Each structure stands twice: as C-alpha cells, then as structure tokens.
C-alpha cells in the first residue's frame, strides 16, 4: 500500500485531480483476501426466507404464524420494555382479536334483528378507525414509529379487554344483579388499566420524552370506549 | 510510482464528473458501470437522487460533447457515445419510475405533513389553554391572541364523544346500539366543524379578523366547558344542578369566545350579530346534549315503569325494544313524540 500513499503526497502541490484516480494503481498483495460475499443483512434474510417457505407444508406455515401471534400475546400479557412487537409487526393478532370481540359483542336476541348487523360493524369500525386516528396523532406529534407498527401494538393490546369480555359473558350466565355488575365493573376496570399500561410500555419510547402524555391520552380514550362497550353489554 | 491520472486531468481540467480517472484507464465504459451501480442503489426511490443523477448525466453529455470536440482520439468518443446512450435510457426509465413512486408517496404523506405544525404543542401549553378557555379576558381594543393548534380541540371532541357514550349507555343500553357510536361522533364532529365554518362565514361577512384555524381552535377549546358540565350532570341527575352549571360553566366559556371575537371585530352591529349567533349556538348545544339524550330515556322509563321512579335510581337494565318493534325511525330530536309512541305501544 506504500505505492498508493505516495501518489497523493506527490500530487498535493499539483493541480486538483478527480477523486479515486489514485486507486487505479493500487497493487494488492496476495495474503489479503478480497473474495467473499457481500451480505446485506435484511435483504439476504428475506430472500432466504422466500425460497425456504415456499416449499413447506401449509400446516407448518400456519403453525409458524400462530406461534408468532402467541409470542406477541405473551408480550402483551407481561408487558416489559421490549421491541418484539415493534420489530416483527403483523396484523393477524389484531384481526383475530377484533373479530372475536365483535362477534362476542353481538346480541343474539331475536327481536333485534336490525341490531345484529351494525353491532359487528360498529365494533370493527371503532377499533380500526380508532387505531388509525391514534397512529396519525402520534405521528403528527413527532413520534418515530411507523404506521403499521403502531396499528400492531394497539391491536395486540386489546387482548386484556377480550379476556374481560369472555369473563363478563361467563359472569352474565349467572344472572344479572348489582353484585354481578360490580364484579364485571371490577374486571373491566382492571383489564382496561392493563391494556393502557401495556400499550404505553410499547409506544412511549417512540415519542419525544416531553410529549408522552399527549400521545397516551387518546390511547386512554380508545380503550375507555371499548371497555364501555364491553361493560354495558347485556345478552 | 508515477501517476497515470496526470494526462487525464490535463485534458479535462477538473470540469468533468468525479469518475474521470477510471474513464481513461478501464476499457468498456468504466464510468457507465459506476453510474449503473449508483442507479441500482436505493436511489431508485429517491426523488433527489434521480434528479441529481439526471442532472449529472446531462452535464456529462455536455462535457463529453465539449471534450470530444477538442479530443482527436476517436476511441474516447466511441466509449462516451456508448455510455451516453445506454445509461441515458436506463436513467430515463429509473427517473420515470422513481418520479411516479415519489409523487404517489408524496401525495399520501403530504396530507399529514400539512397538519403537522398544528400538532406542535407541549402538555403544559395544552393544560394552560384548557384553563384559559374558562377565563374571559376583557380586552376589546386590541385583537386577543388565539392559539392556532388542533391537538387540544381534537382531543376535546373525542372526549365529548366518550362522555356522550357514557351518558347514553348508562341510561339506555339496548335500543339504539347500532347507532350509538354514529350518533355521538356525528353530533360532536358535526357541531365542531359545522358551527366553526358557519361562524367563520359570518366573520367573513362581518369583516372580523379571524382565520378558519383560529375559529376551529377557539370553538374546540370552548367544548371544554361542555365536557365538564356533561360529565358531572350525567352522574348526578339533578335538574337544578344542571341549570346552575349550564349558566356558570357554559356561560364562562361562551363569554371567553365572545370576548375574543369582539376584540377582533369592528362596529356594533357586526359584533352583535357574530357574538349573538355564537353565544346562542354554544349555549343551546349544551342544552340539547343534556336534554335530548336525557329526555328520550326519561320518557321511555317513565312510560314503562310509571312516573314514581326517582331519577337517581337508574341502573343498566333490560329495556324491551319497544321502538324498533313499532318500526318508528329512531332519532333523538322529538322526545315528546317518542314518549307518546311508547305509551301507545304498551297499551
């Protein structure tokens, strides 16, 4: 490499020359390896996955996706400051949760046929448009989270409220009354707090530090509306 | 070791692009290879990179023509010609693709970026503006300052929606499930956007100095009083309490908005028109929110259980779906008609 270094030194006094013109005369000694793979980590992994997942069985694909969804459920139930939900976001979990919630919130009464349809659509629209609004709000406030990552987190954090819905339906099987109502109120409030804390744990890091409260408040309202729909549901 | 780049730089005089050294030494269109590599890079989706590349290619062509005119060696001309044509075509294709992609993405994201400066607030600012919205300032000779932000008003509208749902649901759980959300959202957003536009139009007629954004922000923060009143009176169902809060809290937030508008309008008739309209609409909206949703429920419950149930003892209960069974359209405007219909139905 001594040859390359001499040339810039010689040329300093002369007129300015184009860049890289001195590289053409570098001689490479034998013991420095110049062969190898240029690996760009993300792209290479994606291509590798493409080739290898095309030939696997359907059961294997579904199990892999279900395991990913299940892993994220665990992250929501035990919220720690981790990047798992953000890094490998997917929208399967939110879809499953939203459809489950909307199906359970439907009334099964016969004399309310007109109300059966809008009920499902109402919950669906509230969940998805609420999540989109919160995402836009946090982006406008200067957060550096992507659109789908935020949708993913908000959707997954509906899990505690879905569990609350299941418990409420079971409790309602025992009949209605003030004690019944108090139990349901307690369960829904606890799950609501859990949802808000879980989503805050994931979303708060993406906001500028002094504006966390501004981004958390609409999340609070969103889960409040869903909790209210769950609490006031009567079959 | 002598540098072979010296003759090249002598010819070009540093006027060409930076790949000058390679061009002279590597056969077969060396700088074309480098240009293509540059294009294969992520700059395919970057507007500026393509523009810069296109510009550089055009410059290169101009330089190539200029150099070819001076240069006697035909070998260089052939190389440049080949490189120019091929790379120009590829560059054009990439340019078109990149431009299309970029303009699509830009038109999507530009809509968000237009609103970005209106969301540039701190929590302390929002808190202070919320408190100030209840304090009228009596300064009518100079235009009062109105903060032009949309975060606070938007959050207040959503809070009002949530409070309305809370109020509707505790009284009326089953009958209007399908339209509960829609009614609440439509009412609140319709009021905020509709009345703001209407008052802005009146302000234009009355020659008041206020922009649409300021009007939206002013009315949005004026909903803070509504939120407080409704939150308290949906939980404590005393009419006297409601009237007191309506006058006090509603009146304060209306006075604040009126003072701002008066300070920005000239002429007594214009001031009266503008401020009278706003005051009437704002106070009547609070009245409507409390009584329209409240009355329908009261009417139904009174009919079904008799008038001797005191209002404090309402709990969520199964209310048989009287109105949908009768096929009557469900609106919350005329409470008396509904009460009558419910009475007729149950006989």
């Amino acid at each position: 490499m001594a040859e390359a270094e001499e040339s810039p030194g010689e040329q300093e006094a002369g007129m300015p020359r184009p860049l890289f013109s001195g590289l053409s005369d570098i001689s490479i000694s034998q013991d420095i390896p110049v062969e190898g793979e240029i690996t760009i980590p993300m792209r290479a992994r994606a291509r590798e996955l493409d080739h290898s997942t095309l030939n696997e069985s359907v059961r294997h694909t579904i199990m892999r996706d279900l395991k990913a969804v299940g892993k994220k459920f665990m992250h929501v139930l035990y919220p720690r400051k981790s990047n798992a939900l953000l890094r490998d976001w997917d929208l399967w979990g939110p879809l499953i949760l939203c459809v489950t919630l909307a199906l359970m919130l439907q009334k099964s009464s016969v004399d309310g046929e007109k109300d059966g349809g809008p009920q499902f659509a109402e919950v669906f629209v509230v969940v998805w448009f609420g999540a989109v609004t919160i995402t836009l709000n946090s982006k406008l406030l200067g957060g550096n989270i992507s659109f789908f990552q935020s949708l993913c987190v908000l959707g997954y954090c509906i899990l505690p409220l879905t569990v609350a819905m299941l418990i409420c339906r079971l409790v309602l099987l025992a009949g209605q009354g003030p004690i019944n109502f108090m139990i349901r109120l307690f369960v829904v409030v606890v799950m609501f707090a859990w949802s808000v804390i879980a989503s805050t744990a994931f979303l708060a890091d993406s906001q500028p530090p002094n504006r966390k409260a501004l981004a958390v408040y609409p999340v609070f309202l969103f889960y409040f509306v869903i909790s209210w729909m769950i609490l006031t549901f009567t079959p | 070791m002598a540098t072979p780049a010296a003759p090249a730089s002598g010819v070009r005089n540093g006027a060409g692009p930076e790949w000058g050294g390679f061009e002279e030494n590597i056969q077969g269109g060396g700088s074309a290879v480098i240009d293509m590599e540059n294009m294969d890079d992520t700059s395919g989706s970057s507007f500026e990179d393509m523009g810069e590349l296109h510009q550089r290619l055009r410059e290169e062509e101009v330089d190539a023509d200029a150099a070819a005119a001076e240069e006697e060696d035909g070998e260089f001309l052939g190389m440049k010609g080949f490189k120019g044509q091929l790379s120009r075509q590829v560059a054009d294709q990439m340019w078109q693709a990149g431009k299309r992609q970029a303009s699509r993405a830009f038109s999507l994201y530009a809509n968000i970026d237009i609103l970005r400066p209106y969301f540039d607030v701190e929590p302390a600012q929002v808190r202070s503006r919320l408190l100030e919205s209840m304090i009228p300032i009596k300064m009518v000779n100079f235009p009062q300052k109105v903060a032009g932000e949309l975060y606070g008003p938007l959050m207040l509208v959503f809070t009002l929606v949530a409070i309305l749902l809370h109020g509707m649901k505790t009284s009326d759980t089953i009958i209007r499930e399908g339209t509960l959300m829609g009614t609440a959202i439509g009412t609140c957003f319709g009021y905020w956007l509709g009345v703001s536009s209407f008052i802005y139009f009146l302000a234009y007629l009355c020659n008041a100095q206020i922009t649409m954004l300021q009007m939206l922000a002013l009315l949005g923060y004026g909903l803070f009083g509504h939120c407080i009143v409704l939150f308290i009176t949906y939980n404590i169902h005393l009419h006297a309490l409601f009237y007191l809060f309506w006058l006090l809290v509603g009146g304060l937030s209306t006075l604040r908005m009126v003072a701002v508008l008066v300070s920005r309008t000239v002429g007594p008739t214009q001031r009266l028109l503008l401020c009278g309209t706003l005051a009437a609409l704002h106070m009547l909206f609070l009245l409507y929110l409390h009584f329209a949703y409240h009355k329908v429920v009261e009417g139904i419950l009174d009919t079904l259980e008799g008038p001797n149930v005191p209002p404090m003892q309402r709990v969520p209960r199964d209310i048989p779906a009287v109105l949908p069974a009768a096929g009557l359209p469900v609106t919350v405007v005329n409470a008396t008609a509904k009460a009558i219909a419910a009475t007729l139905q149950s006989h």
Side-chain angles (χ1 to χ4, degrees):
Chain A
M1 297 302 157
E3 299 98 342
E5 272 163 26
E6 264 172 48
S7 24
E10 275 178 46
Q11 284 289 305
E12 258 171 51
M15 52 193 164
R17 26 184 278 279
L19 292 178
F20 305 121
S21 57
L23 289 177
S24 51
D25 54 347
I26 292 175
S27 65
I28 299 182
S29 53
Q30 290 298 320
D31 51 5
I32 299 176
V34 289
E35 297 178 353
E37 268 182 33
I38 299 175
T39 50
I40 306 165
M42 290 313 285
R43 267 186 226 158
R45 211 186 296 153
R47 282 198 203 111
E48 188 189 344
L49 275 179
D50 266 345
H51 290 312
S52 65
T53 61
L54 206 54
N55 296 327
E56 65 182 14
S57 64
V58 172
R59 190 188 76 94
H60 195 232
T61 311
I62 293 179
M63 285 314 292
R64 191 184 58 239
D65 283 334
L66 279 180
K67 273 195 211 125
V69 168
K71 200 161 64 140
K72 294 201 187 71
F73 279 169
M74 285 299 124
H75 276 284
V76 168
L77 287 179
Y78 303 107
R80 284 179 297 267
K81 280 205 186 300
S82 79
N83 276 335
L85 246 68
L86 290 177
R87 219 180 25 228
D88 317 311
W89 61 266
D90 73 275
L91 292 177
W92 281 115
L95 183 67
I96 294 173
L97 286 172
C98 180
V99 168
T100 313
L101 197 62
L103 283 175
M104 285 198 291
L105 276 175
Q106 245 183 330
K107 287 190 309 300
S108 50
S109 59
V110 179
D111 53 8
E113 300 107 342
K114 262 186 290 189
D115 296 331
Q119 195 62 7
F120 182 92
E122 180 184 312
V123 177
F124 213 82
V125 163
V126 161
V127 168
W128 287 102
F129 276 96
V132 165
T133 309
I134 296 175
T135 308
L136 286 178
N137 175 62
S138 67
K139 281 184 87 73
L140 283 169
L141 282 174
N144 58 355
I145 193 172
S146 102
F147 184 74
F148 287 109
Q149 282 173 341
S150 174
L151 276 187
C152 167
V153 168
L154 288 168
Y156 270 106
C157 291
I158 295 179
L159 177 66
L161 287 171
T162 313
V163 170
M165 182 75 221
L166 281 168
I167 298 178
C168 281
R169 279 212 93 143
L170 290 174
V171 167
L172 277 172
L173 285 176
Q176 295 187 22
I179 302 176
N180 207 295
F181 181 70
M182 293 311 288
I183 298 175
R184 281 189 294 138
L185 178 68
F186 176 70
V187 166
V188 168
V189 165
V190 165
M191 291 302 181
F192 162 67
W194 200 336
S195 284
V196 172
I197 290 172
S199 64
T200 312
F202 292 116
L203 287 179
D205 288 335
S206 66
Q207 291 294 324
N210 50 342
R211 291 190 187 176
K212 286 199 176 53
L214 296 184
V216 167
Y217 180 68
V219 174
F220 172 87
L221 273 182
F222 174 62
Y223 289 129
F224 176 80
V225 168
I226 298 181
S227 313
W228 204 254
M229 282 198 283
I230 292 173
L231 184 60
T232 57
F233 171 77
T234 51
Chain B
M1 195 176 194
T3 58
S9 46
V11 165
R12 294 193 137 257
N13 260 357
E18 303 113 20
W19 326 114
F22 276 114
E23 236 176 90
E24 314 308 317
N25 292 306
I26 297 176
Q27 302 277 330
S31 83
V33 170
I34 291 169
D35 282 347
M36 281 196 203
E37 270 179 0
N38 198 24
M39 277 184 262
D40 275 342
D41 211 42
T42 54
S43 54
S45 57
S46 164
F47 210 83
E48 292 85 25
D49 277 0
M50 285 320 296
E52 195 185 314
L53 184 67
H54 212 63
Q55 188 67 24
R56 203 190 301 149
L57 283 167
R58 266 200 228 111
E59 276 173 30
E60 261 180 43
E61 275 178 89
V62 168
D63 281 345
D65 293 336
E70 304 166 8
E71 187 64 49
E72 281 107 307
D73 198 345
E75 185 185 7
F76 288 112
L77 179 58
M79 233 163 54
K80 280 181 190 45
F82 161 77
K83 165 197 78 94
Q85 195 182 16
L86 181 62
S87 63
R88 205 182 325 143
Q89 275 178 353
V90 177
D92 261 329
Q93 276 177 346
M94 299 297 290
W95 169 256
Q96 295 300 327
K99 194 163 139 181
R100 251 180 284 127
Q101 206 174 340
S103 55
R104 241 184 293 140
F106 193 72
S107 63
L108 170 67
Y109 284 105
N111 293 334
I112 301 180
D113 282 330
I114 289 175
L115 296 175
R116 200 179 281 270
Y118 308 139
F119 281 74
D120 191 15
V121 287
E122 306 293 319
Q125 280 178 320
V126 174
R127 213 174 16 243
S128 67
R129 281 172 195 165
L130 282 175
L131 292 173
E132 279 167 10
S133 75
M134 304 297 297
I135 304 172
I137 298 180
K138 199 170 161 48
M139 175 180 76
V140 298
N141 296 322
F142 290 104
Q144 292 186 23
K145 191 173 177 322
V146 182
E149 57 136 323
L150 287 178
Y151 173 82
L154 202 63
M155 288 305 124
L156 279 170
V157 173
F158 279 125
T159 310
L160 192 62
V161 169
I163 293 177
L164 278 182
L165 281 179
H166 162 93
M168 284 197 276
K169 286 255 183 188
T170 42
S171 316
D172 178 353
T173 52
I174 290 187
I175 295 183
R176 270 168 291 272
E177 286 287 331
T179 59
L180 228 46
M181 257 334 262
T183 314
I185 291 183
T187 309
C188 297
F189 269 97
Y191 175 76
W192 183 46
L193 296 171
V195 171
S196 291
S197 317
F198 180 60
I199 300 288
Y200 177 67
F201 167 66
L202 280 184
Y204 171 73
L205 289 181
C206 301
N207 213 15
Q209 302 295 320
I210 195 163
T211 67
M212 183 67 189
L213 172 72
Q214 287 172 331
M215 195 58 229
L216 281 170
L218 193 64
L219 195 65
Y221 274 113
L223 288 175
F224 181 54
H226 284 25
C227 288
I228 295 178
V229 174
L230 288 174
F231 185 67
I232 295 177
T233 55
Y234 275 147
N235 292 316
I236 307 175
H237 294 267
L238 286 175
H239 280 308
L241 187 68
F242 169 72
Y243 282 122
L244 182 68
F245 272 115
W246 177 64
L247 280 176
L248 211 61
V249 178
L252 275 178
S253 80
T254 311
L255 272 177
R256 156 105 184 141
M257 292 197 297
V258 157
V260 169
L261 281 178
V262 161
S263 74
R264 286 165 173 260
T265 318
V266 178
T269 321
Q270 288 92 329
R271 283 177 172 180
L272 190 63
L273 175 67
L274 200 55
C275 303
T277 319
L278 180 61
L281 285 171
H282 204 63
M283 300 294 275
L284 286 176
F285 184 59
L286 185 53
L287 220 55
Y288 168 78
L289 282 181
H290 185 265
F291 282 114
Y293 293 150
H294 194 72
K295 260 281 195 278
V296 179
V297 173
E298 242 185 13
I300 294 171
L301 285 178
D302 280 345
T303 318
L304 296 173
E305 299 172 33
N308 49 0
V309 176
M312 296 285 280
Q313 285 183 6
R314 289 204 186 105
V315 292
R317 49 153 48 80
D318 280 341
I319 305 173
V322 173
L323 293 180
L328 289 173
V330 179
T331 59
V332 290
V333 177
N334 200 337
T336 326
K338 285 204 187 343
I340 294 174
T343 321
L344 287 173
Q345 206 55 33
S346 61
H347 286 338

